[in-house]
């Protein structure tokens, strides 16, 4: 009898093992060679098989998220009439079952026959499981690549369930199989998501995209290229790119494909023929496809240039119109200026003469009023001309050495009559580290005088202050008054052209409203130049001007006027010197002795003076000292150069000690002149693109296209000029280059063209063209 019982027991165990192995085999085989989309469905079927085999009421999977802080019930199977819990157990905090989570993370399985007998440390778990009417449960960890990802569990809600070792063993085997299935699903889903994302981009990108295989056949074409060519996508796939290329471009495409076969990407323009026969200009950016280290085809992005060509044509037309209009405006202002200035200067001159004819008091009053009106009209005219020159980048800014203190003192002296007339206190405060600076004294004086004129115009009582501070070439100038001030709501329009703070101010005080706008534009052309202000209505206004000037050293030579004075009692030396300097387009005034030297210097703008040290009737050193004592030199110093036949180092050093800035040894030649007078290059170049920004404010990319085209066209013209001899077309090409670059609104480039116009030497023209080439390379 005992034997029969043992036999039956062994038979049941064998049947259970066979069934166990069958379930494991079914679960394992269900994930072989299936699409990743069916993995979740098969996981649910596997949970059913596990539940049926273990005679459980529920079988489920929980996955860890957010570094084990969250648990998510991702899959669940329930026996009939058992309430599912999956919707209630989505993204629950792991901290509500800490004992449970700790067991799983230690890779231990949990077997609870009676939930009510859970230890005290599992009180949270006991309460939660009791709420779900769970009697018994088993949980095993799920592991992928030695990392815990979640757990697989079974439970019983109808009765207490004592699961066999075979059931727990099945659960562990199944956990491993399902972990691998989940891992595969997540990896393939990520790949598919990335593929869908890439396909979405490729299908919806604004440019055409085509992919070819190693034989050159198109294996993918996006909607954009299909629309561009007027075909359906399916009618492009399988064809060769050469089926769509205009015949004259076939060789070019073949060359570029050869480049890709040696792993070189390429960019080139070509023409494609659409389905309706229309030829479309395109640009192709292509890169090689590489698989297993071998060329596998190409990926090409095709950009339709049809719209771009239309935009380019519109740009050319609008720019041509703008240039013509701008030219007409400038010519009109120049002509009006000439036509008005000439009779106006005559009127002012005749009024001065009339004033000296002993008029009576009434007549004198009429003459004074007429003079004031005439000068006011001339000032208005000058404002308009200055504004036009600045607006069109035509104003030339000089760089000459000058004494800023003398300049500011002269400004102060010029306002004395107005100070006395209005009975105002004038506070003058100047603090300067350096005496001489390099810049344009006319424009600097214009800035200060214009601001002072405004201060006097709008101030009837109190004071006006002019404060100038300079350190290492950095200037801070303050013009402050106790005048009428400016309303806060009007302050934002202060620097706008043809604008004044109040309409009645123009009627009461006069003016074009251009003064501050001109100052701002002048400062924009100066290094570190800016202007700001503070103002309180009925209390006064303070303007703050900043800019930087180079500290001037007479030992550094600058050619601004291209004019020199040479003093030598040898006619042959003077003839040679004049001829050599003239060949550099530098004009020369020659003197055989000291007569008229000082007078001429006082009335002429020279860049330097060359003085022979051994004149027959006076020492060259003495002439040098006399020039330095002159009124003009104190304000506008220039280099004084000893012109000598001496080569003894001691004598030459003595000349420098005597006060000469340098020396040049006879006989004079071109090399010595080049070494002594070096044209300044490498200036910081500024571009004023505000008018282009206004034109293209709605299409900034079009502006970039235009600037790129300007660079390409300019480089082409410069290349032609530098690589050919001077001929009848040279002047025309330089003029075309100037017109092309005028769109960049650069004062520095405009100055270079002025210098090109001055020189007759084609070699010097080439030097300037090389300089322009370097500038546009950096654009």
């Amino acid at each position: 009898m005992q034997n029969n019982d043992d036999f039956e027991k062994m038979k049941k165990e064998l049947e259970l093992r066979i069934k166990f192995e069958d379930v494991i085999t079914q679960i394992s085989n269900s994930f072989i060679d299936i699409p990743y989309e069916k993995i979740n469905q098969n996981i649910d079927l596997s949970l059913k098989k596990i539940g049926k085999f273990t005679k459980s009421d529920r079988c489920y999977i929980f996955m860890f998220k957010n570094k084990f802080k969250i648990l998510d019930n991702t899959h669940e199977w329930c026996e009939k009439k058992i309430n599912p819990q999956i919707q209630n157990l989505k993204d629950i905090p792991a901290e509500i079952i800490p004992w449970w989570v700790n067991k799983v993370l230690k890779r231990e399985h949990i077997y609870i026959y009676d939930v009510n007998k859970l230890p005290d440390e599992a009180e949270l778990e006991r309460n939660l499981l009791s709420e779900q009417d769970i009697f018994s449960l088993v949980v095993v960890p799920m592991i992928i690549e030695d990392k815990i990802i979640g757990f697989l569990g079974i439970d019983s809600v109808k009765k207490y369930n004592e699961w066999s070792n075979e059931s727990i063993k099945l659960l562990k085997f199944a956990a491993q199989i399902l972990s691998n299935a989940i891992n595969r699903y997540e990896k393939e889903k990520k790949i598919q998501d990335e593929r869908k994302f890439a396909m979405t981009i490729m299908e919806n990108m604004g440019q055409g995209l085509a992919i070819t295989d190693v034989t050159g056949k198109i294996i993918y074409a996006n909607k954009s290229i299909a629309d561009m060519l007027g075909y359906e996508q399916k009618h492009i796939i399988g064809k060769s790119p050469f089926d769509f290329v205009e015949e004259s471009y076939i060789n070019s495409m073949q060359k570029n494909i050869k480049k890709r076969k040696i792993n070189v990407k390429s960019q080139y323009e070509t023409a494609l023929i659409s389905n309706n026969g229309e030829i479309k200009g395109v640009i192709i950016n292509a890169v090689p496809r590489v698989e297993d280290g071998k060329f596998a085809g190409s990926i090409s992005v095709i950009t339709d240039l049809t719209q771009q060509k239309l935009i380019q044509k519109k740009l050319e037309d609008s720019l041509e119109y703008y240039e013509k209009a701008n030219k007409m405006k400038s010519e009109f202002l120049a002509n009006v200026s000439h036509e008005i200035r000439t009779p106006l200067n005559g009127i002012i001159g005749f009024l001065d003469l009339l004033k000296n004819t002993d008029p009576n008091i009434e007549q004198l009053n009429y003459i004074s009023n007429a003079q004031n009106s005439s000068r006011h009209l001339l000032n208005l005219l000058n404002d308009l001309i200055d504004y036009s020159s600045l607006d069109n980048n035509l104003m030339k800014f000089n760089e000459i050495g000058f004494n800023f203190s003398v300049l500011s003192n002269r400004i102060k002296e010029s306002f004395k009559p107005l100070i006395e007339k209005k009975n105002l206190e004038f506070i003058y405060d100047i603090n300067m580290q350096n005496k001489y600076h390099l810049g344009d004294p006319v424009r600097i004086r214009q800035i200060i005088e214009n601001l002072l004129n405004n201060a006097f115009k709008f101030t009837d009582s109190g004071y006006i202050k002019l404060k100038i501070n300079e350190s290492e070439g950095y200037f801070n100038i303050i013009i402050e008054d106790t005048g009428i001030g400016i309303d806060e709501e009007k302050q934002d329009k202060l620097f706008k052209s043809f604008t004044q703070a109040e309409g009645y101010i123009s009627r009461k005080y006069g003016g074009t409203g251009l003064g501050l706008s001109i100052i701002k534009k002048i400062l924009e052309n100066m290094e570190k130049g800016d202007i700001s202000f503070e103002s309180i209505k009925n209390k006064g206004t303070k303007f703050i001007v900043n800019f930087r000037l180079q500290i001037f050293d007479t030992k550094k030579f600058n050619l601004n006027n291209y004019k020199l004075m040479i003093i030598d009692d040898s006619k042959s030396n003077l003839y040679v010197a004049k001829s050599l300097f003239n060949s550099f387009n530098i004009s020369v005034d020659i003197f055989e002795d000291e007569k008229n030297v000082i007078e001429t210097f006082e009335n002429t703008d020279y860049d330097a003076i060359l003085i022979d040290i051994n004149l027959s009737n006076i020492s060259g050193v003495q002439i040098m000292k006399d020039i330095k004592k002159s009124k003009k030199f104190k304000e506008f110093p220039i280099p004084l150069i000893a012109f000598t036949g001496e080569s003894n180092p001691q004598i030459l050093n003595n000349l420098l000690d005597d006060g000469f800035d340098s020396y040049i040894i006879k006989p004079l030649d071109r090399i010595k002149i080049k070494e002594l007078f070096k044209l300044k290059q490498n200036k910081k170049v500024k571009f004023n693109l505000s008018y282009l920004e206004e034109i293209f404010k709605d299409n900034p990319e079009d502006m970039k296209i235009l600037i790129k085209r300007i660079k390409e066209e300019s480089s082409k013209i410069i290349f032609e000029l530098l690589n050919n001899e001077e001929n009848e077309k040279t002047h025309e090409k330089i003029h075309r280059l100037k017109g092309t670059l005028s769109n960049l609104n650069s004062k520095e480039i405009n100055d270079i063209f002025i210098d090109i116009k001055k020189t007759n030497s084609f070699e010097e023209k080439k030097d300037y063209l090389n300089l322009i080439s370097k500038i546009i390379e950096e654009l």
Side-chain angles (χ1 to χ4, degrees):
M1 188 73 181
Q2 179 69 38
N3 289 337
N4 284 337
D5 290 343
D6 290 343
F7 177 77
E8 286 299 321
K9 184 180 179 181
M10 288 176 62
K11 184 180 177 183
K12 285 181 179 179
E13 287 178 356
L14 183 60
E15 286 175 352
L16 185 63
R17 181 173 289 277
I18 290 170
K19 191 175 180 182
F20 166 83
E21 290 178 353
D22 183 49
V23 171
I24 289 297
T25 302
Q26 287 180 38
I27 292 173
S28 181
N29 288 343
S30 69
F31 295 104
I32 297 174
D33 296 331
I34 64 165
Y36 92 99
E37 296 93 340
K38 291 189 176 182
I39 288 176
N40 280 322
Q41 179 184 334
N42 281 12
I43 288 174
D44 290 336
L45 291 172
S46 299
L47 295 184
K48 181 179 180 180
K49 287 182 172 66
I50 295 167
K52 291 290 186 183
F53 178 82
T54 60
K55 297 179 181 178
S56 304
D57 293 328
R58 271 198 298 257
C59 185
Y60 45 80
I61 292 173
F62 277 81
M63 300 294 292
F64 282 114
K65 293 165 65 175
N66 195 18
K67 297 181 180 180
F68 306 109
K69 293 178 181 178
I70 301 294
L71 280 167
D72 185 22
N73 190 179
T74 58
H75 299 81
E76 181 187 57
W77 168 84
C78 295
E79 188 61 272
K80 291 177 181 178
K81 297 183 180 180
I82 301 298
N83 293 326
Q85 295 295 320
I86 189 168
Q87 295 303 322
N88 301 326
L89 298 172
K90 286 285 184 186
D91 293 335
I92 62 172
E95 62 186 14
I96 68 171
I97 50 171
W99 176 82
W100 186 319
V101 169
N102 189 48
K103 286 274 190 185
V104 172
L105 293 179
K106 287 181 177 179
R107 305 186 183 210
E108 297 175 8
H109 75 267
I110 301 170
Y111 176 20
I112 303 169
Y113 174 72
D114 185 353
V115 166
N116 293 317
K117 293 182 180 180
L118 277 166
D120 291 341
E121 60 265 30
E123 182 183 359
L124 291 173
E125 285 80 359
R126 184 170 58 240
N127 294 336
L128 182 65
L129 295 171
S130 297
E131 287 173 5
Q132 298 177 47
D133 299 324
I134 295 173
F135 286 88
S136 309
L137 63 83
V138 179
V139 170
V140 296
M142 296 180 72
I143 302 170
I144 294 175
E145 298 172 355
D146 203 36
K147 293 179 181 177
I148 304 291
I149 64 165
F151 54 82
L152 171 65
I154 53 176
D155 63 36
S156 176
V157 297
K158 293 178 182 177
K159 62 179 181 176
Y160 293 105
N161 200 335
E162 187 175 355
W163 285 285
S164 65
N165 288 334
E166 291 298 323
S167 294
I168 295 173
K169 194 184 293 183
L170 171 70
L171 211 57
K172 288 181 177 179
F173 271 113
Q176 191 57 54
I177 294 167
L178 296 178
S179 294
N180 291 332
I182 289 170
N183 188 37
R184 178 191 158 198
Y185 173 80
E186 289 180 347
K187 285 183 176 178
E188 291 197 22
K189 185 177 185 302
K190 185 178 179 183
I191 291 170
Q192 290 300 322
D193 287 347
E194 289 175 351
R195 187 173 294 168
K196 285 178 183 176
F197 179 68
M199 286 299 294
T200 301
I201 291 173
M202 290 191 295
E203 282 298 308
N204 293 284
M205 64 189 288
Q207 295 164 294
L209 180 69
I211 301 175
T212 59
D213 63 16
V214 69
T215 68
K217 297 296 181 185
I218 298 171
I219 59 174
Y220 173 78
N222 73 349
K223 188 175 183 301
S224 292
I225 187 65
D227 292 344
M228 194 187 301
L229 296 175
Y231 291 93
E232 292 183 32
Q233 287 170 270
K234 63 184 179 181
H235 293 146
I236 296 175
I237 293 168
K239 292 193 175 184
S240 165
F242 294 105
D243 294 334
F244 305 99
V245 176
E246 202 271 325
E247 188 176 357
S248 62
Y249 286 90
I250 288 176
N251 287 339
S252 171
M253 180 172 277
Q254 286 173 336
K255 289 177 182 177
N256 281 282
I257 291 173
K258 284 180 181 178
K259 286 182 182 179
R260 294 198 287 281
K261 286 183 177 180
I262 57 172
N263 202 28
V264 176
K265 61 184 178 181
S266 59
Q267 182 187 71
Y268 57 99
E269 284 193 32
T270 188
L272 302 180
I273 304 173
S274 66
N275 194 18
N276 62 7
E278 182 185 355
I279 295 176
K280 290 181 174 284
V282 299
I283 186 165
I284 295 178
N285 286 279
V287 296
R289 287 176 58 224
V290 178
E291 294 177 2
D292 299 325
K294 294 181 180 179
F295 175 73
S298 300
I299 301 172
S300 301
V301 176
I302 304 102
T303 304
D304 189 351
L305 298 179
T306 306
Q307 191 64 26
Q308 189 174 316
K309 297 281 187 186
L310 289 172
I311 292 170
Q312 193 169 312
K313 181 68 169 63
K314 287 180 181 178
L315 288 177
E316 289 171 355
D317 292 344
S318 63
L319 281 172
E320 185 179 353
Y321 174 80
Y322 172 82
E323 287 168 5
K324 284 181 179 177
N326 215 26
K327 187 179 179 183
M328 287 171 66
K329 181 182 77 173
S330 298
E331 289 175 352
F332 172 76
L333 283 171
N335 289 334
V336 168
S337 168
H338 176 74
E339 293 300 324
I340 297 176
R341 278 176 193 261
T342 302
L344 190 56
N345 285 327
I347 291 168
I348 292 170
F350 281 120
L351 287 170
D352 282 336
L353 292 173
L354 189 60
K355 198 172 185 178
N356 294 320
T357 60
D358 197 22
N360 60 40
I361 294 174
E362 185 179 8
Q363 290 169 334
L364 188 61
N365 186 44
Y366 293 153
I367 293 169
S368 295
N369 287 335
Q371 284 181 317
N372 290 335
S373 297
S374 300
R375 290 194 181 100
H376 179 63
L377 182 57
L378 188 60
N379 287 335
L380 294 180
L381 182 62
N382 288 336
D383 276 354
L384 285 168
I385 301 305
D386 280 347
Y387 182 81
S388 175
S389 298
L390 285 162
D391 197 39
N392 293 290
N393 208 36
L394 296 173
M395 182 176 280
K396 179 73 181 286
F397 287 82
N398 293 311
E399 284 196 342
I400 62 173
F402 68 99
N403 187 323
F404 205 103
S405 296
V406 173
L407 175 73
S408 59
N409 274 315
R410 289 195 174 179
I411 293 172
K412 180 187 72 172
E413 292 298 315
S414 69
F415 279 90
K416 263 189 176 180
L418 197 53
I419 295 167
E420 293 169 359
K421 181 180 177 182
K422 299 197 78 171
N423 196 27
L424 294 169
E425 180 186 1
F426 186 73
I427 303 168
Y428 177 65
D429 181 7
I430 182 166
N431 181 22
M432 298 185 59
Q433 280 187 355
N434 300 281
K435 188 175 182 181
Y436 297 116
H437 293 84
L438 189 67
D440 191 329
V442 174
R443 298 304 164 198
I444 291 168
R445 183 166 185 161
Q446 185 177 0
I447 292 169
I448 298 172
E449 286 187 342
N450 203 322
L451 291 172
L452 283 173
N453 272 322
N454 281 347
F456 278 103
K457 186 191 295 185
F458 300 120
T459 305
D460 292 324
S461 63
Y463 68 84
I464 288 171
K465 181 192 290 186
L466 171 60
K467 185 176 181 180
I468 301 172
N469 289 312
E470 180 268 341
S471 176
E472 297 181 357
Y474 288 92
F475 280 84
N476 173 253
I477 300 174
I478 295 172
I479 291 94
E480 186 176 349
D481 66 60
T482 53
I484 63 174
I486 306 162
D487 281 335
E488 189 173 345
E489 61 269 20
K490 307 292 183 182
Q491 292 179 7
D492 60 340
K493 62 170 70 173
L494 200 60
F495 293 106
K496 290 182 179 178
S497 307
F498 303 102
T499 303
Q500 291 183 325
E502 301 279 4
Y504 78 87
I505 287 177
S506 179
R507 295 188 294 273
K508 181 177 179 181
Y509 296 100
T512 59
L514 285 173
L516 290 174
S517 179
I518 290 170
I519 289 172
K520 192 172 189 297
K521 285 180 176 291
I522 290 174
L523 286 165
E524 284 172 355
N525 284 277
M526 296 176 69
E527 185 180 356
K528 305 287 184 183
D530 68 67
I531 181 170
S532 59
F533 70 95
E534 301 166 9
S535 185
I536 300 174
K537 184 70 174 176
N538 298 322
K539 288 192 176 182
T541 303
K542 177 166 69 174
F543 281 93
I544 304 102
V545 172
N546 295 293
F547 55 83
R548 186 187 181 194
L549 298 177
Q550 298 297 319
I551 297 166
F552 180 65
D553 183 352
T554 52
K555 293 177 173 56
K556 294 179 181 178
F557 307 127
N558 298 290
L559 290 174
N560 292 294
N561 304 296
Y562 284 79
K563 192 174 186 67
L564 303 177
M565 175 189 285
I566 301 178
I567 307 163
D568 194 319
D569 54 7
S570 167
K571 290 183 179 180
S572 59
N573 284 343
L574 289 172
Y575 176 80
V576 171
K578 187 170 184 176
S579 299
L580 284 170
F581 280 112
N582 286 167
S583 71
F584 287 98
N585 206 35
I586 299 171
S587 65
V588 177
D589 288 342
I590 56 175
F591 294 83
E592 295 182 29
D593 52 41
E594 77 281 10
K595 292 176 184 177
N596 302 321
V597 164
I598 301 299
E599 183 183 350
T600 306
F601 170 68
E602 290 280 5
N603 294 290
T604 311
D605 292 327
Y606 293 109
D607 292 313
I609 300 176
L610 278 67
I611 307 168
D612 181 13
I613 62 169
N614 293 314
L615 295 169
S616 55
N617 59 343
I618 189 172
S619 162
V621 173
Q622 185 58 50
I623 294 179
M624 175 266 294
K625 290 180 177 179
D626 291 342
I627 292 172
K628 284 193 171 186
K629 290 177 185 175
S630 68
K631 184 179 177 182
K632 182 175 182 179
F633 189 89
K634 288 176 182 176
E635 185 173 359
F636 302 110
I638 60 172
L640 301 178
I641 302 162
F643 194 26
T644 177
E646 296 286 352
S647 58
N648 185 306
Q650 184 61 50
I651 295 174
L652 295 174
N653 284 331
N654 289 341
L655 290 172
L656 299 179
D657 292 339
D658 287 335
F660 280 104
D661 296 299
S662 186
Y663 52 79
I664 190 165
I665 300 171
K666 301 174 185 178
L668 197 61
D669 58 39
R670 290 177 64 87
I671 294 173
K672 290 175 183 175
I673 292 173
K674 280 185 174 182
E675 287 177 353
L676 190 63
F677 297 95
K678 292 177 180 174
L679 289 171
K680 290 198 303 176
Q681 296 181 6
N682 303 322
K683 287 178 72 175
K684 184 177 180 181
V685 178
K686 295 179 182 176
F687 302 98
N688 181 2
L689 303 178
S690 56
Y691 84 97
L692 284 181
E693 289 167 351
E694 178 63 26
I695 292 173
F696 300 110
K697 62 184 177 184
D698 296 325
N699 298 290
E701 288 302 314
D702 293 345
M703 179 174 161
K704 290 180 183 177
I705 294 167
L706 174 64
I707 291 174
K708 182 181 178 184
R709 184 167 173 270
I710 288 171
K711 284 182 67 175
E712 290 171 351
E713 285 192 11
S714 302
S715 298
K716 183 179 178 182
I717 297 170
I718 291 171
F719 179 83
E720 291 172 359
L721 286 164
L722 293 177
N723 289 277
N724 290 286
E725 295 298 322
E726 189 173 15
N727 54 51
E728 67 279 359
K729 292 187 177 181
T730 298
H731 177 73
E732 177 191 330
K733 287 180 180 178
I734 291 174
H735 184 72
R736 184 152 52 94
L737 177 64
K738 182 181 178 182
T740 302
L741 291 175
S742 67
N743 297 306
L744 300 178
N745 250 12
S746 167
K747 180 186 80 67
E748 288 80 4
I749 291 178
N750 188 60
D751 287 350
I752 293 172
F753 279 106
I754 291 171
D755 292 330
I756 288 175
K757 190 174 181 180
K758 285 180 179 179
T759 181
N760 294 318
S761 166
F762 188 60
E763 288 305 310
E764 286 187 30
K765 282 186 171 73
K766 284 186 175 182
D767 289 340
Y768 287 119
L769 291 168
N770 276 315
L771 178 56
I772 294 173
S773 180
K774 289 177 183 176
I775 291 170
I776 61 174
E777 278 176 11
E778 295 171 5
L779 176 60

